[in-house]
Amino acid sequence: MKLVDHVVRSFKVAKVFRENTDKINSIDFSPSGDTLISCSEDDQIVIYDCEKGTQMRTVNSKKYGVDLIHFTHAKNTAVHSSTKVDDTIRYLSLHDNKYIRYFPGHTKKVVSLCISPVEDTFLSGSLDKTLRLWDLRSPNCQGLMHLSGRPVAAYDPEGLIFAAGVNSESIKLYDLRSFDKGPFITFKLSQEKECDWTGLKFSRDGKTILISTNGSIIRLIDAFHGTPMQTFTGHLNNKGIPIEASFSPDSQFVFSGSTDGRVHVWNADTGYKVCVLNADHPAPVQCVQFNPKYMMLASACTNMAFWLPTADENA
């Protein structure tokens, strides 16, 4: 089925899960789209089956807390940042709830974590103003970049380059094979006055970069030249939380949560607001992602909602 405006507008909540007692702070689909993992400020990791629309398993991380959770390429494993004890990143085997490896190094809160789309490496950025490159097979940092401010990071879809957003005003692109030589290009944008950048994402076609913030603004820039393309507004964020913005898999639509519990959708090419989806979320929606393989959307506040379309492309 093709994603077009009226199909997007037809999305309705098909299932709501109320497993968590505190807000869900991070979600991630497996590359196959079969499963979704979430973590919450109640220190729980919950894994969902997307095909059946059921909860599969809950794993507790009471000792270290959990944030920024991501599936790795190996089955039943994930990496996450910590919210207690220290700022070590942890590699977790989900089926037996055992840690495979720790990645120590950051001295302040980790605010950005992303997995390479093609290999067992990942990037982390911290309030200690560093960006670190890791290999899942080694506890030692493989690369370290000192930056001038708070970093956010993302891999491009091919896993050949990565983008680092620094100080909410510039985006630096690095070649993974020679990142130690510094960025091969830097895009300077106007400094955000009202908010901080809290996330970067490349579109699946690699042509654009989406910048999420902790304010009520989302930016879209050209990935090759850094030129601003769209500014998406109209969603509420009066709590200063890092609301996630996401692309649809075809790069045509941008989705975002809001503090009023609704999901906003824009056309990525025109900047036009397609619709506002009402989920009856009782609290701010911090996480929204589209399934990479199936026609399904997930949004999360304290509850997790699975959305499905009620119209088809020919309707």
Side-chain angles (χ1 to χ4, degrees):
M1 192 156 94
K2 202 166 170 349
L3 207 54
V4 289
D5 284 16
H6 73 264
V7 173
V8 172
R9 289 191 194 106
S10 81
F11 268 78
K12 298 276 185 291
V13 175
K15 190 86 184 263
V16 178
F17 301 90
R18 298 178 175 85
E19 313 302 327
N20 295 101
T21 57
D22 208 335
K23 82 169 175 192
I24 294 167
N25 50 27
S26 178
I27 66 174
D28 187 45
F29 281 102
S30 61
S32 66
D34 296 339
T35 51
L36 174 74
I37 195 165
S38 73
C39 63
S40 162
E41 294 186 1
D42 64 11
D43 305 329
Q44 282 194 101
I45 297 164
V46 183
I47 303 151
Y48 300 91
D49 183 315
C50 298
E51 280 191 286
K52 296 190 182 126
T54 55
Q55 183 203 336
M56 291 166 69
R57 202 159 57 252
T58 301
V59 174
N60 285 311
S61 180
K62 296 288 182 207
K63 184 174 178 185
Y64 300 114
V66 57
D67 197 356
L68 302 177
I69 197 149
H70 288 274
F71 280 118
T72 65
H73 298 292
K75 199 156 174 62
N76 273 325
T77 59
V79 291
H80 67 80
S81 64
S82 313
T83 59
K84 303 175 192 173
V85 184
D86 59 22
D87 299 292
T88 295
I89 297 160
R90 301 174 200 279
Y91 182 22
L92 178 64
S93 166
L94 295 163
H95 71 92
D96 54 3
N97 194 12
K98 289 195 168 65
Y99 285 107
I100 301 166
R101 194 160 288 114
Y102 293 159
F103 304 95
H106 285 300
T107 56
K108 287 186 177 167
K109 181 180 173 169
V110 175
V111 290
S112 188
L113 194 62
C114 47
I115 300 271
S116 162
V118 294
E119 56 189 11
D120 288 331
T121 59
F122 67 95
L123 276 166
S124 61
S126 157
L127 294 179
D128 64 16
K129 300 183 183 175
T130 67
L131 204 57
R132 288 174 179 266
L133 188 62
W134 309 87
D135 187 307
L136 280 168
R137 293 160 296 196
S138 163
N140 304 321
C141 176
Q142 306 293 303
L144 174 64
M145 284 136 282
H146 291 277
L147 304 164
S148 59
R150 175 198 179 113
V152 285
Y155 286 92
D156 81 312
E158 264 109 45
L160 297 173
I161 66 169
F162 66 87
V166 187
N167 247 358
S168 306
E169 65 174 353
S170 62
I171 291 182
K172 299 170 184 290
L173 299 186
Y174 294 82
D175 187 320
L176 270 155
R177 290 157 303 188
S178 55
F179 63 85
D180 48 337
K181 294 192 173 81
F184 62 85
I185 194 163
T186 298
F187 305 138
K188 193 93 164 71
L189 284 76
S190 43
Q191 170 93 44
E192 297 293 346
K193 302 215 171 18
E194 308 288 314
C195 57
D196 300 313
W197 293 354
T198 51
L200 288 187
K201 285 182 187 173
F202 278 86
S203 55
R204 178 118 17 129
D205 61 16
K207 292 177 181 169
T208 58
I209 298 171
L210 192 63
I211 306 170
S212 311
T213 72
N214 58 8
S216 46
I217 195 160
I218 301 160
R219 299 195 184 279
L220 186 72
I221 67 162
D222 181 284
F224 301 105
H225 310 289
T227 35
M229 294 174 71
Q230 302 295 346
T231 301
F232 306 112
T233 57
H235 58 298
L236 198 64
N237 186 1
N238 53 14
K239 303 254 193 316
I241 61 172
I243 289 180
E244 178 177 36
S246 297
F247 286 104
S248 55
D250 61 6
S251 310
Q252 298 297 306
F253 296 94
V254 169
F255 297 81
S256 169
S258 67
T259 47
D260 66 5
R262 299 188 298 175
V263 173
H264 294 246
V265 191
W266 296 267
N267 182 301
D269 290 332
T270 63
Y272 176 73
K273 174 78 68 83
V274 176
C275 61
V276 181
L277 299 170
N278 198 354
D280 296 324
H281 274 296
V285 176
Q286 184 170 324
C287 306
V288 178
Q289 281 183 30
F290 209 97
N291 189 303
K293 292 285 193 292
Y294 298 106
M295 190 63 87
M296 170 207 160
L297 183 72
S299 63
C301 63
T302 305
N303 302 337
M304 171 70 75
F306 283 8
W307 302 72
L308 296 171
T310 53
D312 66 35
E313 60 194 281
N314 304 312

